[in-house]
Amino acid sequence: MTRPPATGGALPLSRLIREDLQAVLDRDPSCSGRLEALLHAGWQGLALHRLAHRRYLRGHRLRAAALTRLARLLTGMEIHAGASIGRRAFIDHGFGVVIGETAVIGDDVTLYHNVTLGSRGRLRDSGGGRRRHPVVGDHVLIGTGASVLGPVTVGDGCRIAAHSLVLHDLPAAGTTTRPPRGHPPTPRWPAVPPQARTTGTEMTNSAPIPPDPHRPHGCCTCPRTPAHPRPAHGHNGE
């Protein structure tokens, strides 16, 4: 299977970088203006990647690798210079994002931190010029900590929930919420009762912590011994 080209490669580099900057202003509510957007880690990483990608396409792999390393040091993102990223990409926070060499990302895609677009291992995916990394369509959103692994295709408009694991193709405009295999479901603890604050009762998951037998008076200043008598000065030195 040949790797489809990304639309961003045919446009001037300066235009792609300006569009990425505008995407920060449009999609990051915490960004107050263009000057602040210039300090956005996701935009900085993308700008350096686009420079590295042009060097990669021209066969200057060492220069491309140096720019990729610089982007990793500055932003915490590791995007291989061979990865193709379309127009108006937005990577929020950016830290921990990993994108492999043969990955292809469409236009208007949003990635959150700790997203991985990777392979499933050299022995499984490599050989014969096969694609090892995902192809992501246009207008796709991938949540925090999600992993899309192997030569899968994510259709246009898909929304991948945080911490999902995607190992198979997703049709267009789909949503996945599948957690990694063996990952326990997120517990939903009931709210701590208001009386816990007024009575001084320590609560964990709405259940009181059992008393410490080595501190029968609940005094944090008492020595840890069951035989310790109650201090004459009262609880906690009062």
Side-chain angles (χ1 to χ4, degrees), residues 88-134:
R88 298 176 297 275
F90 175 63
I91 302 179
D92 198 13
H93 300 292
F95 193 85
V97 169
V98 177
I99 302 177
E101 179 184 15
T102 61
V104 178
I105 299 175
D107 298 337
D108 302 293
V109 170
T110 297
L111 307 179
Y112 289 90
H113 56 284
N114 290 327
V115 165
T116 299
L117 303 180
S119 68
R120 284 180 284 171
R122 181 178 63 84
L123 297 179
R124 177 176 301 208
D125 296 333
S126 64
R130 292 179 56 192
R131 178 169 56 87
R132 307 189 311 276
H133 302 97

Side-chain angles (χ1 to χ4, degrees), residues 119-225:
S119 68
R120 284 180 284 171
R122 181 178 63 84
L123 297 179
R124 177 176 301 208
D125 296 333
S126 64
R130 292 179 56 192
R131 178 169 56 87
R132 307 189 311 276
H133 302 97
V135 169
V136 178
D138 299 337
H139 305 283
V140 172
L141 184 147
I142 303 181
T144 301
S147 296
V148 185
L149 304 180
V152 302
T153 299
V154 178
D156 295 346
C158 283
R159 300 174 65 87
I160 299 177
H163 306 292
S164 295
L165 175 62
V166 178
L167 301 176
H168 304 283
D169 292 351
L170 292 178
T175 301
T176 179
T177 58
R178 178 185 177 186
R181 180 176 297 178
H183 190 278
T186 302
R188 297 183 178 180
W189 306 115
V192 177
Q195 59 269 25
R197 300 178 181 177
T198 58
T199 61
T201 305
E202 297 183 6
M203 306 292 288
T204 300
N205 302 339
S206 300
I209 298 176
D212 188 346
H214 300 288
R215 292 191 176 119
H217 310 305
C219 178
C220 61
T221 59
C222 296
R224 294 184 60 85
T225 169

